[in-house]
Amino acid sequence: MKKSARIVTLGCRLNHADTALLTARLEAAGYSLCDDPRALVDLIVVNTCAVTAEAEAKSRRQILRLRRENPGAQILAAGCAVELNKDALLNAGADQVLTNPDKKLIFAQTSGLKSREIPVENFCENSLSDFPFRSRAFIKVQEGCDNFCSYCIVPVVRGASRSRNFAEVVADCRKNIEAGFPEIILTGVNTCNYFDSGCDLAGLIKEISAIPGDFRIRLSSTEPHPEDLSLLELMADNPKICRFLHVSMQHGSDRILKLMNRRYSAMQFAEFVANARRLVPDIHIGTDFIVGFPGETEADFSEALKLVDEIGFANIHCFIYSPRPGTVAAAMPDRVSNAIARERMERLRQIADVSSCNFAMSQCGNVLPVIFERVVKGKAVGWSDNYLEIAVEPGGIPLRQIVEIQVSKENICGINVSTP
């Protein structure tokens, strides 16, 4: 009888792409994958996150809970939290740990293979992704980061920037397109850094978009390159590329951006967004923002808040600064108090909510391509190419296909329609 396994994934889209590769490796080894959290299984892989202290703690709590609920299972902790503190995960109940570079050697690792140094060269996964429980395909194209932002632990846990083999990425995309996935999400730590076999990200996208089939391509979070408009120009010319960019702003004060070791000014970022909207009408621009970075004054925050309001993002992921041991910022003076950080966070969220609503309302009357993924409470629910969640009556609506839908206040999810 086949052994059973379940993978629990925390954190970013890159982790979900890694999980798809782990899924394929487990299936190739004869495991039956289970997605039911109530089922008792032989093996549980916890794909951990460590981007913040809370994410790392959540990974430990997840293992503690799984050990209580599955006393007979082998629990394997994998990923970023392992790179920082494997002993804490073992103490929480994991039987073994698996580093990021050794995820592709899962069964050799469980037989006692020692962890290797994180590689610096371009790579093959020697596996293609499987998504038995998802309606979109997350394809890993890149790993690692060379930026060393002062607050970020990612270069430590993911290593230097490197790209996945071009032919293997295309083959992975082709496999999932032929399997019927209507959306391919290209993901990495710094996806825009992709370069392999003489091709950059734009070249990779062109190759993928030439694969026969009715599908679209979405880019995961990207780092802003204010002077590089090639990606925007490609997006404008290629209807298979979703009108969506999530570019990490992190702050709107040049002084704080410099302390963060970000490589652009607030004005350069704003100009990049303006160019994106000029070249790609109705594009969804999302961002990340850190509140309460060490040394952030009220003047810094007010300056940033003004810029955020002027740009008008479609969504903002807001975070209160969390010190990560081993980063430059962890030793910086002038820590912002929790009370002040929370108050600033609330002011930012108020602006974020209004700008998100404004973007959604701007799409009313437009006909958008939507992929409906599920039926919830009598409504077919899915996402447009520019990342609006849409819910309509399910009659005649096919799931997992691109459908043209006219947007109205009544069919946009999560928006207070009384807001002007």
Side-chain angles (χ1 to χ4, degrees), residues 14-15 18 48-51 56 79-85 98-101 103 118-119 143-145 148 152-160 162 189 324-325:
L14 180 56
N15 256 14
D18 279 336
T48 64
C49 179
V51 69
E56 191 178 353
C80 293
V82 173
E83 303 283 357
L84 291 183
N85 193 344
L98 188 69
T99 64
N100 276 320
K103 284 177 180 176
I118 294 178
E143 256 285 14
C145 185
F148 285 93
C152 187
I153 200 67
V154 168
V156 176
V157 299
R158 287 282 185 176
R162 55 207 187 274
V189 174
R324 309 297 289 127

PDB file of all heavy atoms in Angstrom, residues 14-15 18 48-51 56 79-85 98-101 103 118-119 143-145 148 152-160 162 189 324-325:
ATOM      1  N   LEU A  14       7.026  31.794  -3.682  1.00  0.00           N
ATOM      2  CA  LEU A  14       8.162  30.936  -3.999  1.00  0.00           C
ATOM      3  C   LEU A  14       8.085  29.648  -3.185  1.00  0.00           C
ATOM      4  O   LEU A  14       8.395  28.566  -3.692  1.00  0.00           O
ATOM      5  CB  LEU A  14       9.480  31.669  -3.733  1.00  0.00           C
ATOM      6  CG  LEU A  14      10.753  30.874  -4.027  1.00  0.00           C
ATOM      7  CD1 LEU A  14      10.768  30.372  -5.464  1.00  0.00           C
ATOM      8  CD2 LEU A  14      11.991  31.722  -3.755  1.00  0.00           C
ATOM      9  N   ASN A  15       7.652  29.740  -1.940  1.00  0.00           N
ATOM     10  CA  ASN A  15       7.462  28.532  -1.145  1.00  0.00           C
ATOM     11  C   ASN A  15       6.391  27.633  -1.758  1.00  0.00           C
ATOM     12  O   ASN A  15       6.514  26.410  -1.753  1.00  0.00           O
ATOM     13  CB  ASN A  15       7.081  28.894   0.292  1.00  0.00           C
ATOM     14  CG  ASN A  15       8.255  28.727   1.251  1.00  0.00           C
ATOM     15  OD1 ASN A  15       9.398  28.598   0.828  1.00  0.00           O
ATOM     16  ND2 ASN A  15       7.968  28.735   2.537  1.00  0.00           N
ATOM     17  N   ASP A  18       8.023  25.892  -4.561  1.00  0.00           N
ATOM     18  CA  ASP A  18       8.861  24.814  -4.030  1.00  0.00           C
ATOM     19  C   ASP A  18       8.008  23.614  -3.617  1.00  0.00           C
ATOM     20  O   ASP A  18       8.405  22.458  -3.804  1.00  0.00           O
ATOM     21  CB  ASP A  18       9.662  25.311  -2.817  1.00  0.00           C
ATOM     22  CG  ASP A  18      10.909  26.084  -3.211  1.00  0.00           C
ATOM     23  OD1 ASP A  18      11.410  25.873  -4.329  1.00  0.00           O
ATOM     24  OD2 ASP A  18      11.387  26.889  -2.396  1.00  0.00           O
ATOM     25  N   THR A  48       8.662  25.844   5.701  1.00  0.00           N
ATOM     26  CA  THR A  48       8.615  26.933   6.677  1.00  0.00           C
ATOM     27  C   THR A  48       8.966  28.286   6.072  1.00  0.00           C
ATOM     28  O   THR A  48       9.508  28.386   4.971  1.00  0.00           O
ATOM     29  CB  THR A  48       9.588  26.659   7.834  1.00  0.00           C
ATOM     30  OG1 THR A  48      10.937  26.648   7.314  1.00  0.00           O
ATOM     31  CG2 THR A  48       9.293  25.328   8.507  1.00  0.00           C
ATOM     32  N   CYS A  49       8.663  29.337   6.836  1.00  0.00           N
ATOM     33  CA  CYS A  49       8.960  30.715   6.451  1.00  0.00           C
ATOM     34  C   CYS A  49       9.707  31.392   7.586  1.00  0.00           C
ATOM     35  O   CYS A  49       9.486  31.082   8.763  1.00  0.00           O
ATOM     36  CB  CYS A  49       7.652  31.455   6.157  1.00  0.00           C
ATOM     37  SG  CYS A  49       7.861  33.196   5.688  1.00  0.00           S
ATOM     38  N   ALA A  50      10.577  32.343   7.236  1.00  0.00           N
ATOM     39  CA  ALA A  50      11.321  33.080   8.254  1.00  0.00           C
ATOM     40  C   ALA A  50      11.494  34.541   7.867  1.00  0.00           C
ATOM     41  O   ALA A  50      12.414  35.205   8.343  1.00  0.00           O
ATOM     42  CB  ALA A  50      12.694  32.430   8.485  1.00  0.00           C
ATOM     43  N   VAL A  51      10.614  35.061   7.020  1.00  0.00           N
ATOM     44  CA  VAL A  51      10.789  36.430   6.537  1.00  0.00           C
ATOM     45  C   VAL A  51      10.647  37.436   7.674  1.00  0.00           C
ATOM     46  O   VAL A  51      11.234  38.519   7.634  1.00  0.00           O
ATOM     47  CB  VAL A  51       9.804  36.727   5.378  1.00  0.00           C
ATOM     48  CG1 VAL A  51       8.371  36.780   5.862  1.00  0.00           C
ATOM     49  CG2 VAL A  51      10.194  38.018   4.665  1.00  0.00           C
ATOM     50  N   GLU A  56       8.600  32.993  11.552  1.00  0.00           N
ATOM     51  CA  GLU A  56       9.434  31.914  12.088  1.00  0.00           C
ATOM     52  C   GLU A  56       8.730  31.243  13.275  1.00  0.00           C
ATOM     53  O   GLU A  56       8.707  30.011  13.395  1.00  0.00           O
ATOM     54  CB  GLU A  56      10.783  32.474  12.508  1.00  0.00           C
ATOM     55  CG  GLU A  56      11.815  31.423  12.831  1.00  0.00           C
ATOM     56  CD  GLU A  56      13.158  32.034  13.204  1.00  0.00           C
ATOM     57  OE1 GLU A  56      13.327  33.258  13.077  1.00  0.00           O
ATOM     58  OE2 GLU A  56      14.022  31.261  13.653  1.00  0.00           O
ATOM     59  N   GLY A  79      13.023  24.397   4.463  1.00  0.00           N
ATOM     60  CA  GLY A  79      12.950  25.790   4.045  1.00  0.00           C
ATOM     61  C   GLY A  79      13.655  26.793   4.926  1.00  0.00           C
ATOM     62  O   GLY A  79      14.602  26.490   5.650  1.00  0.00           O
ATOM     63  N   CYS A  80      13.136  28.017   4.885  1.00  0.00           N
ATOM     64  CA  CYS A  80      13.884  29.172   5.376  1.00  0.00           C
ATOM     65  C   CYS A  80      14.127  29.161   6.873  1.00  0.00           C
ATOM     66  O   CYS A  80      15.200  29.558   7.344  1.00  0.00           O
ATOM     67  CB  CYS A  80      13.175  30.463   4.958  1.00  0.00           C
ATOM     68  SG  CYS A  80      13.213  30.730   3.167  1.00  0.00           S
ATOM     69  N   ALA A  81      13.143  28.722   7.673  1.00  0.00           N
ATOM     70  CA  ALA A  81      13.351  28.690   9.121  1.00  0.00           C
ATOM     71  C   ALA A  81      14.431  27.687   9.502  1.00  0.00           C
ATOM     72  O   ALA A  81      15.127  27.869  10.511  1.00  0.00           O
ATOM     73  CB  ALA A  81      12.041  28.369   9.839  1.00  0.00           C
ATOM     74  N   VAL A  82      14.606  26.647   8.698  1.00  0.00           N
ATOM     75  CA  VAL A  82      15.671  25.674   8.940  1.00  0.00           C
ATOM     76  C   VAL A  82      17.037  26.339   8.818  1.00  0.00           C
ATOM     77  O   VAL A  82      17.966  26.051   9.589  1.00  0.00           O
ATOM     78  CB  VAL A  82      15.547  24.491   7.953  1.00  0.00           C
ATOM     79  CG1 VAL A  82      16.748  23.558   8.073  1.00  0.00           C
ATOM     80  CG2 VAL A  82      14.249  23.738   8.186  1.00  0.00           C
ATOM     81  N   GLU A  83      17.171  27.253   7.842  1.00  0.00           N
ATOM     82  CA  GLU A  83      18.447  27.913   7.615  1.00  0.00           C
ATOM     83  C   GLU A  83      18.866  28.757   8.833  1.00  0.00           C
ATOM     84  O   GLU A  83      20.049  28.981   9.063  1.00  0.00           O
ATOM     85  CB  GLU A  83      18.363  28.816   6.384  1.00  0.00           C
ATOM     86  CG  GLU A  83      17.945  28.121   5.094  1.00  0.00           C
ATOM     87  CD  GLU A  83      19.072  27.317   4.473  1.00  0.00           C
ATOM     88  OE1 GLU A  83      20.194  27.352   5.009  1.00  0.00           O
ATOM     89  OE2 GLU A  83      18.823  26.647   3.457  1.00  0.00           O
ATOM     90  N   LEU A  84      17.887  29.236   9.595  1.00  0.00           N
ATOM     91  CA  LEU A  84      18.191  30.116  10.722  1.00  0.00           C
ATOM     92  C   LEU A  84      18.351  29.370  12.039  1.00  0.00           C
ATOM     93  O   LEU A  84      19.253  29.663  12.819  1.00  0.00           O
ATOM     94  CB  LEU A  84      17.092  31.178  10.872  1.00  0.00           C
ATOM     95  CG  LEU A  84      16.999  32.230   9.788  1.00  0.00           C
ATOM     96  CD1 LEU A  84      15.913  33.231  10.134  1.00  0.00           C
ATOM     97  CD2 LEU A  84      18.333  32.964   9.617  1.00  0.00           C
ATOM     98  N   ASN A  85      17.452  28.401  12.304  1.00  0.00           N
ATOM     99  CA  ASN A  85      17.468  27.768  13.623  1.00  0.00           C
ATOM    100  C   ASN A  85      16.828  26.390  13.525  1.00  0.00           C
ATOM    101  O   ASN A  85      15.678  26.196  13.902  1.00  0.00           O
ATOM    102  CB  ASN A  85      16.715  28.643  14.633  1.00  0.00           C
ATOM    103  CG  ASN A  85      16.957  28.209  16.064  1.00  0.00           C
ATOM    104  OD1 ASN A  85      17.443  27.101  16.328  1.00  0.00           O
ATOM    105  ND2 ASN A  85      16.612  29.069  17.009  1.00  0.00           N
ATOM    106  N   LEU A  98      15.370  19.985   6.535  1.00  0.00           N
ATOM    107  CA  LEU A  98      15.789  19.990   5.140  1.00  0.00           C
ATOM    108  C   LEU A  98      16.026  21.443   4.729  1.00  0.00           C
ATOM    109  O   LEU A  98      15.112  22.258   4.770  1.00  0.00           O
ATOM    110  CB  LEU A  98      14.687  19.374   4.272  1.00  0.00           C
ATOM    111  CG  LEU A  98      14.970  19.110   2.798  1.00  0.00           C
ATOM    112  CD1 LEU A  98      15.982  17.984   2.667  1.00  0.00           C
ATOM    113  CD2 LEU A  98      13.681  18.721   2.093  1.00  0.00           C
ATOM    114  N   THR A  99      17.245  21.778   4.351  1.00  0.00           N
ATOM    115  CA  THR A  99      17.561  23.150   3.971  1.00  0.00           C
ATOM    116  C   THR A  99      16.984  23.479   2.598  1.00  0.00           C
ATOM    117  O   THR A  99      16.562  22.594   1.853  1.00  0.00           O
ATOM    118  CB  THR A  99      19.088  23.357   3.923  1.00  0.00           C
ATOM    119  OG1 THR A  99      19.626  22.522   2.889  1.00  0.00           O
ATOM    120  CG2 THR A  99      19.741  23.019   5.257  1.00  0.00           C
ATOM    121  N   ASN A 100      16.998  24.763   2.246  1.00  0.00           N
ATOM    122  CA  ASN A 100      16.497  25.164   0.929  1.00  0.00           C
ATOM    123  C   ASN A 100      17.228  24.480  -0.221  1.00  0.00           C
ATOM    124  O   ASN A 100      16.589  23.941  -1.125  1.00  0.00           O
ATOM    125  CB  ASN A 100      16.553  26.688   0.783  1.00  0.00           C
ATOM    126  CG  ASN A 100      15.334  27.358   1.376  1.00  0.00           C
ATOM    127  OD1 ASN A 100      14.224  26.871   1.230  1.00  0.00           O
ATOM    128  ND2 ASN A 100      15.527  28.474   2.055  1.00  0.00           N
ATOM    129  N   PRO A 101      18.574  24.502  -0.253  1.00  0.00           N
ATOM    130  CA  PRO A 101      19.241  23.871  -1.401  1.00  0.00           C
ATOM    131  C   PRO A 101      19.063  22.369  -1.466  1.00  0.00           C
ATOM    132  O   PRO A 101      19.205  21.770  -2.523  1.00  0.00           O
ATOM    133  CB  PRO A 101      20.718  24.243  -1.202  1.00  0.00           C
ATOM    134  CG  PRO A 101      20.853  24.617   0.218  1.00  0.00           C
ATOM    135  CD  PRO A 101      19.540  25.186   0.632  1.00  0.00           C
ATOM    136  N   LYS A 103      16.201  20.745  -0.791  1.00  0.00           N
ATOM    137  CA  LYS A 103      14.828  20.304  -1.034  1.00  0.00           C
ATOM    138  C   LYS A 103      14.751  19.328  -2.207  1.00  0.00           C
ATOM    139  O   LYS A 103      13.927  18.416  -2.215  1.00  0.00           O
ATOM    140  CB  LYS A 103      13.925  21.512  -1.315  1.00  0.00           C
ATOM    141  CG  LYS A 103      13.551  22.317  -0.081  1.00  0.00           C
ATOM    142  CD  LYS A 103      12.717  23.531  -0.454  1.00  0.00           C
ATOM    143  CE  LYS A 103      12.333  24.335   0.776  1.00  0.00           C
ATOM    144  NZ  LYS A 103      11.592  25.576   0.424  1.00  0.00           N
ATOM    145  N   ILE A 118      24.798  26.787   0.405  1.00  0.00           N
ATOM    146  CA  ILE A 118      23.854  27.296  -0.578  1.00  0.00           C
ATOM    147  C   ILE A 118      24.602  27.617  -1.865  1.00  0.00           C
ATOM    148  O   ILE A 118      25.603  28.340  -1.837  1.00  0.00           O
ATOM    149  CB  ILE A 118      23.132  28.548  -0.045  1.00  0.00           C
ATOM    150  CG1 ILE A 118      22.257  28.166   1.151  1.00  0.00           C
ATOM    151  CG2 ILE A 118      22.282  29.198  -1.121  1.00  0.00           C
ATOM    152  CD1 ILE A 118      21.544  29.328   1.789  1.00  0.00           C
ATOM    153  N   PRO A 119      24.178  27.084  -3.014  1.00  0.00           N
ATOM    154  CA  PRO A 119      24.912  27.287  -4.266  1.00  0.00           C
ATOM    155  C   PRO A 119      24.783  28.712  -4.784  1.00  0.00           C
ATOM    156  O   PRO A 119      23.922  29.466  -4.360  1.00  0.00           O
ATOM    157  CB  PRO A 119      24.247  26.297  -5.217  1.00  0.00           C
ATOM    158  CG  PRO A 119      22.863  26.137  -4.682  1.00  0.00           C
ATOM    159  CD  PRO A 119      22.985  26.247  -3.192  1.00  0.00           C
ATOM    160  N   GLU A 143      16.019  31.974  -7.730  1.00  0.00           N
ATOM    161  CA  GLU A 143      16.287  31.810  -6.297  1.00  0.00           C
ATOM    162  C   GLU A 143      17.237  32.901  -5.821  1.00  0.00           C
ATOM    163  O   GLU A 143      18.049  33.418  -6.598  1.00  0.00           O
ATOM    164  CB  GLU A 143      16.957  30.455  -6.030  1.00  0.00           C
ATOM    165  CG  GLU A 143      16.051  29.393  -5.446  1.00  0.00           C
ATOM    166  CD  GLU A 143      15.732  29.609  -3.985  1.00  0.00           C
ATOM    167  OE1 GLU A 143      15.983  30.716  -3.454  1.00  0.00           O
ATOM    168  OE2 GLU A 143      15.200  28.674  -3.359  1.00  0.00           O
ATOM    169  N   GLY A 144      17.158  33.239  -4.544  1.00  0.00           N
ATOM    170  CA  GLY A 144      18.168  34.057  -3.907  1.00  0.00           C
ATOM    171  C   GLY A 144      18.128  35.534  -4.263  1.00  0.00           C
ATOM    172  O   GLY A 144      17.376  35.971  -5.134  1.00  0.00           O
ATOM    173  N   CYS A 145      18.965  36.296  -3.569  1.00  0.00           N
ATOM    174  CA  CYS A 145      18.979  37.749  -3.741  1.00  0.00           C
ATOM    175  C   CYS A 145      20.356  38.296  -3.376  1.00  0.00           C
ATOM    176  O   CYS A 145      20.975  37.838  -2.411  1.00  0.00           O
ATOM    177  CB  CYS A 145      17.899  38.377  -2.847  1.00  0.00           C
ATOM    178  SG  CYS A 145      17.712  40.157  -3.051  1.00  0.00           S
ATOM    179  N   PHE A 148      20.778  42.559  -0.304  1.00  0.00           N
ATOM    180  CA  PHE A 148      21.124  42.765   1.105  1.00  0.00           C
ATOM    181  C   PHE A 148      20.524  44.049   1.665  1.00  0.00           C
ATOM    182  O   PHE A 148      21.209  44.907   2.214  1.00  0.00           O
ATOM    183  CB  PHE A 148      22.650  42.751   1.298  1.00  0.00           C
ATOM    184  CG  PHE A 148      23.239  41.369   1.218  1.00  0.00           C
ATOM    185  CD1 PHE A 148      23.719  40.882   0.011  1.00  0.00           C
ATOM    186  CD2 PHE A 148      23.270  40.551   2.334  1.00  0.00           C
ATOM    187  CE1 PHE A 148      24.243  39.587  -0.077  1.00  0.00           C
ATOM    188  CE2 PHE A 148      23.787  39.257   2.256  1.00  0.00           C
ATOM    189  CZ  PHE A 148      24.275  38.775   1.052  1.00  0.00           C
ATOM    190  N   CYS A 152      16.512  42.684   5.846  1.00  0.00           N
ATOM    191  CA  CYS A 152      16.032  41.440   5.232  1.00  0.00           C
ATOM    192  C   CYS A 152      16.978  40.268   5.482  1.00  0.00           C
ATOM    193  O   CYS A 152      18.194  40.363   5.247  1.00  0.00           O
ATOM    194  CB  CYS A 152      15.843  41.656   3.729  1.00  0.00           C
ATOM    195  SG  CYS A 152      15.077  40.243   2.916  1.00  0.00           S
ATOM    196  N   ILE A 153      16.411  39.138   5.888  1.00  0.00           N
ATOM    197  CA  ILE A 153      17.180  37.930   6.139  1.00  0.00           C
ATOM    198  C   ILE A 153      17.223  37.004   4.918  1.00  0.00           C
ATOM    199  O   ILE A 153      17.940  36.001   4.903  1.00  0.00           O
ATOM    200  CB  ILE A 153      16.573  37.174   7.355  1.00  0.00           C
ATOM    201  CG1 ILE A 153      17.577  36.201   7.977  1.00  0.00           C
ATOM    202  CG2 ILE A 153      15.279  36.464   6.973  1.00  0.00           C
ATOM    203  CD1 ILE A 153      18.753  36.855   8.643  1.00  0.00           C
ATOM    204  N   VAL A 154      16.489  37.340   3.860  1.00  0.00           N
ATOM    205  CA  VAL A 154      16.347  36.440   2.717  1.00  0.00           C
ATOM    206  C   VAL A 154      17.681  36.048   2.073  1.00  0.00           C
ATOM    207  O   VAL A 154      17.880  34.865   1.753  1.00  0.00           O
ATOM    208  CB  VAL A 154      15.374  37.034   1.672  1.00  0.00           C
ATOM    209  CG1 VAL A 154      15.431  36.261   0.359  1.00  0.00           C
ATOM    210  CG2 VAL A 154      13.951  37.016   2.220  1.00  0.00           C
ATOM    211  N   PRO A 155      18.645  36.972   1.862  1.00  0.00           N
ATOM    212  CA  PRO A 155      19.915  36.529   1.274  1.00  0.00           C
ATOM    213  C   PRO A 155      20.645  35.489   2.118  1.00  0.00           C
ATOM    214  O   PRO A 155      21.414  34.690   1.582  1.00  0.00           O
ATOM    215  CB  PRO A 155      20.727  37.833   1.178  1.00  0.00           C
ATOM    216  CG  PRO A 155      19.703  38.905   1.094  1.00  0.00           C
ATOM    217  CD  PRO A 155      18.597  38.447   1.996  1.00  0.00           C
ATOM    218  N   VAL A 156      20.381  35.480   3.422  1.00  0.00           N
ATOM    219  CA  VAL A 156      20.994  34.483   4.301  1.00  0.00           C
ATOM    220  C   VAL A 156      20.331  33.129   4.122  1.00  0.00           C
ATOM    221  O   VAL A 156      21.001  32.097   4.014  1.00  0.00           O
ATOM    222  CB  VAL A 156      20.910  34.937   5.780  1.00  0.00           C
ATOM    223  CG1 VAL A 156      21.461  33.857   6.712  1.00  0.00           C
ATOM    224  CG2 VAL A 156      21.669  36.248   5.974  1.00  0.00           C
ATOM    225  N   VAL A 157      18.983  33.107   4.061  1.00  0.00           N
ATOM    226  CA  VAL A 157      18.280  31.830   4.020  1.00  0.00           C
ATOM    227  C   VAL A 157      18.079  31.297   2.602  1.00  0.00           C
ATOM    228  O   VAL A 157      17.842  30.096   2.424  1.00  0.00           O
ATOM    229  CB  VAL A 157      16.918  31.931   4.747  1.00  0.00           C
ATOM    230  CG1 VAL A 157      17.121  32.288   6.205  1.00  0.00           C
ATOM    231  CG2 VAL A 157      15.985  32.931   4.077  1.00  0.00           C
ATOM    232  N   ARG A 158      18.172  32.166   1.598  1.00  0.00           N
ATOM    233  CA  ARG A 158      17.979  31.722   0.212  1.00  0.00           C
ATOM    234  C   ARG A 158      19.252  31.803  -0.626  1.00  0.00           C
ATOM    235  O   ARG A 158      19.292  31.272  -1.735  1.00  0.00           O
ATOM    236  CB  ARG A 158      16.883  32.564  -0.450  1.00  0.00           C
ATOM    237  CG  ARG A 158      15.467  32.261   0.034  1.00  0.00           C
ATOM    238  CD  ARG A 158      14.926  30.993  -0.598  1.00  0.00           C
ATOM    239  NE  ARG A 158      13.531  30.744  -0.232  1.00  0.00           N
ATOM    240  CZ  ARG A 158      12.807  29.739  -0.717  1.00  0.00           C
ATOM    241  NH1 ARG A 158      13.335  28.911  -1.592  1.00  0.00           N
ATOM    242  NH2 ARG A 158      11.566  29.552  -0.322  1.00  0.00           N
ATOM    243  N   GLY A 159      20.268  32.526  -0.153  1.00  0.00           N
ATOM    244  CA  GLY A 159      21.528  32.575  -0.865  1.00  0.00           C
ATOM    245  C   GLY A 159      21.573  33.628  -1.957  1.00  0.00           C
ATOM    246  O   GLY A 159      20.697  34.486  -2.075  1.00  0.00           O
ATOM    247  N   ALA A 160      22.626  33.537  -2.779  1.00  0.00           N
ATOM    248  CA  ALA A 160      22.847  34.504  -3.858  1.00  0.00           C
ATOM    249  C   ALA A 160      21.832  34.317  -4.975  1.00  0.00           C
ATOM    250  O   ALA A 160      21.237  33.246  -5.136  1.00  0.00           O
ATOM    251  CB  ALA A 160      24.254  34.346  -4.414  1.00  0.00           C
ATOM    252  N   ARG A 162      20.316  33.465  -8.377  1.00  0.00           N
ATOM    253  CA  ARG A 162      20.631  32.493  -9.420  1.00  0.00           C
ATOM    254  C   ARG A 162      19.335  32.096 -10.103  1.00  0.00           C
ATOM    255  O   ARG A 162      18.252  32.223  -9.532  1.00  0.00           O
ATOM    256  CB  ARG A 162      21.352  31.273  -8.843  1.00  0.00           C
ATOM    257  CG  ARG A 162      20.592  30.597  -7.713  1.00  0.00           C
ATOM    258  CD  ARG A 162      21.545  29.864  -6.757  1.00  0.00           C
ATOM    259  NE  ARG A 162      20.802  29.078  -5.771  1.00  0.00           N
ATOM    260  CZ  ARG A 162      20.349  29.566  -4.631  1.00  0.00           C
ATOM    261  NH1 ARG A 162      20.534  30.842  -4.321  1.00  0.00           N
ATOM    262  NH2 ARG A 162      19.697  28.783  -3.780  1.00  0.00           N
ATOM    263  N   VAL A 189      12.635  34.862  -5.672  1.00  0.00           N
ATOM    264  CA  VAL A 189      12.916  35.907  -4.679  1.00  0.00           C
ATOM    265  C   VAL A 189      12.999  37.260  -5.367  1.00  0.00           C
ATOM    266  O   VAL A 189      12.440  38.260  -4.912  1.00  0.00           O
ATOM    267  CB  VAL A 189      14.227  35.604  -3.922  1.00  0.00           C
ATOM    268  CG1 VAL A 189      14.591  36.756  -2.996  1.00  0.00           C
ATOM    269  CG2 VAL A 189      14.106  34.313  -3.127  1.00  0.00           C
ATOM    270  N   ARG A 324      15.394  41.257  12.606  1.00  0.00           N
ATOM    271  CA  ARG A 324      15.863  39.898  12.346  1.00  0.00           C
ATOM    272  C   ARG A 324      17.327  39.821  12.713  1.00  0.00           C
ATOM    273  O   ARG A 324      18.167  40.533  12.144  1.00  0.00           O
ATOM    274  CB  ARG A 324      15.708  39.537  10.854  1.00  0.00           C
ATOM    275  CG  ARG A 324      14.335  39.795  10.283  1.00  0.00           C
ATOM    276  CD  ARG A 324      13.262  38.947  10.967  1.00  0.00           C
ATOM    277  NE  ARG A 324      13.353  37.552  10.614  1.00  0.00           N
ATOM    278  CZ  ARG A 324      13.417  36.567  11.513  1.00  0.00           C
ATOM    279  NH1 ARG A 324      13.437  36.843  12.798  1.00  0.00           N
ATOM    280  NH2 ARG A 324      13.476  35.316  11.136  1.00  0.00           N
ATOM    281  N   PRO A 325      17.682  39.005  13.709  1.00  0.00           N
ATOM    282  CA  PRO A 325      19.098  38.846  14.071  1.00  0.00           C
ATOM    283  C   PRO A 325      19.929  38.471  12.852  1.00  0.00           C
ATOM    284  O   PRO A 325      19.512  37.662  12.027  1.00  0.00           O
ATOM    285  CB  PRO A 325      19.057  37.704  15.092  1.00  0.00           C
ATOM    286  CG  PRO A 325      17.679  37.760  15.671  1.00  0.00           C
ATOM    287  CD  PRO A 325      16.783  38.179  14.543  1.00  0.00           C
TER     288      PRO A 325
END
